[in-house]
Amino acid sequence: MFAGGLLLGVTLLFFAGWLQWTEHHGWPHDTFNDAEDEAYRERRKKSRLRVNVLIGICGTLILTAAIAGKGLFFIAAWTIVSLILMVIVILAGLDAFRTHRHHQDKIRRIRKKAVED
C-alpha cells in the first residue's frame, strides 16, 4: 500500500504540473483569433488552474497518507481526496459546458461574418 500511495501521489503531482504547463504554453491546434477568444482563454486558464491545484492537493494528500500509514490521518486524507475528486468532476463538466457554449458562439460569429461578406 505504501508503494502504491507513493506512485499515485507522484503521478497526480506530475499530471497536475504537466496540465498546468500545457495550459500556460498552449495546446496543439488552439486558435484564438479575436478578443472574445482571448477572454474565453483567460477564463479557461483561471478555471483550469483551480482544477490543477485541486489535483495537486490530492497528490499531496495521497503522499502524506502513504507516509503516515494506516490510522486516522490515512482515513481522513482519503476521504478528503474522494470529495475533492467529486468537485473536480463537477468543475470539468462546467468547463466542458463553457467550451461548448464558446464554440457555438464562435460558429455563429463565423457564419454571420460569412453571410455579411
Side-chain angles (χ1 to χ4, degrees):
M1 188 167 338
F2 175 75
L6 286 179
L7 180 63
L8 183 59
V10 170
T11 301
L12 283 176
L13 286 172
F14 172 77
F15 186 64
W18 175 77
L19 283 173
Q20 187 57 35
W21 184 86
T22 307
E23 184 64 35
H24 182 69
H25 288 64
W27 291 89
H29 311 293
D30 262 353
T31 55
F32 297 104
N33 301 332
D34 57 12
E36 290 179 16
D37 286 341
E38 285 301 322
Y40 159 74
R41 185 173 189 221
E42 289 304 314
R43 286 192 318 269
R44 184 182 82 175
K45 282 173 78 171
K46 185 186 280 188
S47 171
R48 290 186 180 177
L49 172 64
R50 289 186 200 117
V51 170
N52 295 337
V53 167
L54 289 174
I55 293 171
I57 290 171
C58 285
T60 304
L61 283 171
I62 291 170
L63 276 174
T64 55
I67 292 169
K70 294 181 182 177
L72 185 59
F73 182 78
F74 182 87
I75 294 168
W78 276 101
T79 302
I80 293 169
V81 165
S82 65
L83 293 173
I84 290 173
L85 290 176
M86 284 190 280
V87 170
I88 289 172
V89 168
I90 291 167
L91 291 174
L94 291 173
D95 183 52
F97 182 67
R98 178 179 41 245
T99 301
H100 177 69
R101 282 190 332 198
H102 170 73
H103 284 292
Q104 282 182 328
D105 186 51
K106 189 172 185 173
I107 290 171
R108 208 173 293 123
R109 284 183 279 132
I110 290 171
R111 286 181 182 155
K112 185 177 179 181
K113 185 179 177 183
V115 168
E116 289 175 355
D117 291 344

